[in-house]
Amino acid sequence: MDEPRQRLRFDHVSVSYGTPDGGIEVVRDISFTIRQGEFVSLVGPSGCGKTTIMNMAAGFVVPSSGSLMLDDRPIVGPGSNRGVMFQEYGVFPWLTVEQNIAFGLKLGANRKPAAERQAIVTRYLDLMRLSEFRRAYPKTLSGGMRQRLALARAYAVNPDLLLMDEPFGALDAQTRSAMHDLLLDILCVEGKTVLLITHSVEEAIYLSNRVVVISARPSRIRQIIDIPFPYPRHSALQEEPEFNALRAQIHELVMREYAAQEAQRRPPV
Ligand SMILES: Nc1ncnc2c1ncn2[C@@H]1O[C@H](COP(=O)(O)OP(=O)(O)O)[C@@H](O)[C@H]1O
Ligand SMILES: [Mg+2]
């Protein structure tokens, strides 16, 4: 059987930012590929450069060197084929729940006729269990509901590549677990390609085909770990010995990088 086609391809990508006191090297020589339908997570210490990597895929940051391709074309800017979920909730406070979901469907390449727009909004209201709150404003929603709304917005425009930057970080454990299963359900139905950034080793293993461990700054790839569990997955998986072994292995790698990142932060004595 043919391998699924390559979607996103980082090839020896490096990034430095210019700063008043010289420059800061944030990403160093990263190469990895995400294929159609794959779910890949990046884990690594805060400040190591993960959001920078995602911003390149989104088209907001340009590599200083190396190449970054989507579907064999260089990424030169943002595009309607990518749905981005940022660390902060990606919802507009001045729009209602249904207006938030419809927002992207009124713009540019994703513009849809009113009837179709309404059908999509209704479908996601239902899927995210937000129908009762369709006319509510985000400030009246719980954190979990706002997160579901952000997910609905990102999904409504039907991007085939989803870029998610710590989307579940602010949620309590129960809501987070419910969001994981909701995401897996949707992915089973819709077959998206996903790049997820997360602090949580468990989340990365539970959701992904592959977990990429990123080093302390500058971001380098420490290890790429294949996650062998078939989909659909269920939360009981997290009690399995094989899951625990992977968790221990990846945790150790990540903790080493956290320590290295901390050492950078401490002023020299
Ligand atoms: N536009 C920028 N200009 C200068 N430095 C930046 C910029 N964006 C991020 N940085 C720095 O790059 C490093 C990595 O940031 P980021 O990619 O947000 O890491 P992470 O998401 O892993 O926490 C941090 O030290 C941050 O301060
Ligand atoms: Mg970040």
Side-chain angles (χ1 to χ4, degrees), residues 98-114 116-121 124 153 155-158:
E98 60 186 349
Q99 288 166 344
N100 262 288
I101 300 174
F103 184 80
L105 301 169
K106 297 177 177 175
L107 299 176
N110 292 318
R111 197 178 165 77
K112 296 280 185 296
E116 191 178 339
R117 205 160 62 217
Q118 195 50 53
I120 294 170
V121 169
Y124 280 101
R153 260 196 55 177
Y155 269 94
V157 296
N158 197 24

Side-chain angles (χ1 to χ4, degrees), residues 46-47 49-52 87 165-166 197 199:
S46 40
K50 301 180 299 298
T51 295
T52 300
Q87 241 161 313
D165 192 354
E166 302 194 28
I197 290 177
H199 267 112

Side-chain angles (χ1 to χ4, degrees), residues 148-167:
R148 299 205 298 272
L149 177 56
L151 201 58
R153 260 196 55 177
Y155 269 94
V157 296
N158 197 24
D160 53 9
L161 178 62
L162 262 177
L163 304 170
M164 308 174 95
D165 192 354
E166 302 194 28

Side-chain angles (χ1 to χ4, degrees), residues 17-19 24 26 45-53 87 165 217:
Y17 290 118
T19 57
I24 170 172
V26 179
S46 40
C48 77
K50 301 180 299 298
T51 295
T52 300
I53 295 172
Q87 241 161 313
D165 192 354
R217 205 185 69 227

Side-chain angles (χ1 to χ4, degrees), residues 118-165:
Q118 195 50 53
I120 294 170
V121 169
T122 303
R123 172 166 136 67
Y124 280 101
L125 283 170
D126 193 39
L127 205 55
M128 300 297 174
R129 303 188 309 277
L130 289 168
S131 301
E132 277 177 62
F133 306 95
R134 61 196 310 146
R135 285 184 239 295
Y137 286 89
K139 66 170 188 301
T140 66
L141 305 177
S142 70
M145 290 160 73
R146 273 203 297 271
Q147 201 63 63
R148 299 205 298 272
L149 177 56
L151 201 58
R153 260 196 55 177
Y155 269 94
V157 296
N158 197 24
D160 53 9
L161 178 62
L162 262 177
L163 304 170
M164 308 174 95
D165 192 354

